[in-house]
Amino acid sequence: MTRAFVAAIVWWSIAAAAGAQTLPSEPISIGNGRVVLGGDVSAAIAPVDPGFFSYGQYEHSTLRQFRIGLSAQVRAGRRLSLLAEVRSENLEDVTPFALYARVRPFPNHRFDIQVGRIPPTFGRFARLAYSKENPLIGYPLAYQYLTSLRPDSVPASNDELLLMRGRGWRSNFSVGNLAPAPGVPLASSLTWDTGVQVIAGLKAVTLVGSVTNGTLSNPRVGDDNGGKTVAARMVVSAAPGLEIGSSFSRGSFVSRTALDALGPLGERDIAQTAYGLDVEYSRGHWLTRMEAITSGWRMPMLSTGLIQPLRSTAISAEGRYALLPGVYMAVRAEHLGFSHVQGRSGNLPWDAPVMRVELGAGYYIQRNVIFKASLQLNERDGGRTTTVRLPAAQLLFWF
């Protein structure tokens, strides 16, 4: 990670020394705009996270990664466009992040149909995760922090569930896949789902709806349980600089591997249902965002033969203030809580509640190159490590 970060700094320094024109400063247009290419490169460095607070689904820390992305949009006509994006993290395999067709049957109206590996429908941050719009380096807890729940492995009892409190980075249960593996966040921002999405806009209101193979916390390319997820979102531009959004998602969560191991209990309604509310307001030097997400899972328990409802709620508030041209400060405060279940050790939250505060600043070296520094403070009521403080730095270039 240190070598990757230093390489990114050296790469930018050499390019800058040769002249600003050597770096593309905007998307590359080919064929009179029929093909548009864009991309980004980022390098982030931080100490090792002993509590795995900052780890995501790919078992990488979001504060310690070197990421390269390349996107393309091909316009086949007024009504059809093809969009694709590939990414590589830490110089590992190149993976398709997005790949979908966009159909606009009425070119003069805000109505799109998108088919393939599509952008997220639920929530606000999922669209901002890989862009300069994230003023800090870390991700909000709802979109990154790993709970102990897994789609391919489920606990047989409340006691087994409570044993995994604060262990989402390496969770394992006795029903389904027995191998230890990472759990899932409330809403994944690191992977896009596959399905169909419809976007319609009328004046100050935008409506989005989708049907996909995976769930909010476990997006997929192929279906793994025969169920689908339905999601919807509405955004209202209530005033200049003010946007209010609400989201809903419901889909079958447990995979066929675990359902088969549950026997008749696996035929019950086992789903993840989530609701979200978000607000963004900008005025003058200020930009503020607030987001609240509540997710509920219906988990089957072989020990009782009943469905155990599990709920988690994440609340996040962040602000950014421009101190000088090209210089800003930012802060994000958030809490992730869990409903209680009864076990032999008492009535406890089914996972360990987490609090996080991240303080940071950014400096625009040039219009499309930004350097960020932050300090992330994490506390958790459970797990092997309960408190972690992580300083981090990131260099981000995009075009």
Side-chain angles (χ1 to χ4, degrees):
M1 287 305 305
T2 302
R3 289 195 298 269
F5 186 74
V6 171
I9 294 177
V10 171
W11 161 79
W12 180 85
S13 300
I14 293 173
Q21 269 59 5
T22 60
L23 285 174
S25 59
E26 57 186 25
I28 300 171
S29 180
I30 303 172
N32 218 14
R34 290 190 174 273
V35 178
V36 179
L37 302 177
D40 64 84
V41 180
S42 71
I45 187 169
V48 173
D49 180 357
F52 298 89
F53 285 92
S54 60
Y55 276 61
Q57 288 172 292
Y58 293 121
E59 301 184 70
H60 296 157
S61 168
T62 56
L63 302 180
R64 290 168 54 87
Q65 62 179 355
F66 179 69
R67 187 179 68 240
I68 302 174
L70 179 65
S71 63
Q73 177 176 333
V74 180
R75 223 169 17 99
R78 294 184 66 199
R79 292 177 170 82
L80 176 63
S81 298
L82 302 177
L83 300 97
E85 184 171 357
V86 294
R87 291 196 174 274
S88 177
E89 293 188 359
N90 296 341
L91 303 179
E92 295 179 355
D93 295 340
V94 176
T95 58
F97 186 73
L99 181 59
Y100 60 97
R102 175 186 293 159
V103 180
R104 180 165 289 178
F106 313 108
N108 298 324
H109 295 82
R110 294 169 58 198
F111 185 82
D112 294 337
I113 301 171
Q114 303 188 145
V115 182
R117 196 159 199 179
I118 54 177
T121 297
F122 188 99
R124 178 174 293 274
F125 181 81
R127 296 172 181 80
L128 310 179
Y130 287 104
S131 77
K132 61 182 175 61
E133 296 300 323
N134 179 13
L136 297 161
I137 303 173
Y139 293 7
L141 289 168
Y143 292 95
Q144 168 264 310
Y145 184 80
L146 301 177
T147 71
S148 63
L149 296 185
R150 292 171 49 187
D152 61 340
S153 181
V154 299
S157 65
N158 286 348
D159 291 313
E160 192 173 311
L161 175 64
L162 292 174
L163 282 175
M164 290 292 109
R165 294 176 80 246
R167 294 281 304 277
W169 55 276
R170 187 65 77 187
S171 170
N172 65 292
F173 298 116
S174 63
V175 180
N177 185 354
L178 304 183
V184 298
L186 273 63
S188 176
S189 63
L190 305 176
T191 307
W192 285 8
D193 215 334
T194 306
V196 179
Q197 185 180 67
V198 177
I199 306 172
L202 179 62
K203 294 184 178 179
V205 178
T206 300
L207 301 174
V208 186
S210 65
V211 178
T212 58
N213 287 334
T215 58
L216 180 63
S217 61
N218 183 40
R220 297 187 56 82
V221 174
D223 190 352
D224 66 342
N225 56 20
K228 301 296 180 185
T229 292
V230 176
R233 177 168 169 79
M234 179 175 69
V235 179
V236 179
S237 298
L242 175 62
E243 284 191 350
I244 302 173
S246 61
S247 305
F248 168 80
S249 175
R250 178 177 172 83
S252 301
F253 176 71
V254 178
S255 71
R256 177 53 55 189
T257 301
L259 291 174
D260 290 343
L262 289 166
L265 189 58
E267 300 174 5
R268 304 279 294 275
D269 179 23
I270 304 172
Q272 178 190 9
T273 303
Y275 302 90
L277 178 66
D278 58 87
V279 179
E280 178 176 298
Y281 180 64
S282 61
R283 184 175 181 178
H285 296 272
W286 283 98
L287 171 66
T288 58
R289 297 188 181 110
M290 297 184 66
E291 187 161 7
I293 295 175
T294 294
S295 179
W297 293 267
R298 291 170 52 82
M299 297 302 293
M301 298 290 177
L302 277 177
S303 61
T304 61
L306 301 175
I307 300 295
Q308 172 70 64
L310 303 175
R311 189 179 69 256
S312 180
T313 300
I315 300 175
S316 173
E318 71 178 48
R320 184 183 69 191
Y321 181 75
L323 293 170
L324 299 167
V327 180
Y328 70 83
M329 296 185 66
V331 61
R332 180 186 296 133
E334 46 191 332
H335 178 263
L336 177 60
F338 302 91
S339 60
H340 285 60
V341 297
Q342 184 64 50
R344 294 176 184 173
S345 54
N347 190 267
L348 298 170
W350 61 266
D351 208 330
V354 185
M355 293 187 65
R356 172 182 290 170
V357 175
E358 187 169 356
L359 310 168
Y363 170 59
Y364 283 84
I365 301 172
Q366 63 182 50
R367 187 186 63 82
N368 61 330
V369 179
I370 183 173
F371 175 78
K372 303 178 188 178
S374 72
L375 175 62
Q376 190 180 95
L377 313 175
N378 296 277
E379 291 190 2
R380 179 171 56 205
D381 183 20
R384 296 175 179 176
T385 304
T386 58
T387 303
V388 171
R389 288 164 173 77
L390 298 168
Q394 182 187 61
L395 187 67
L396 171 63
F397 159 71
W398 70 93
F399 65 93

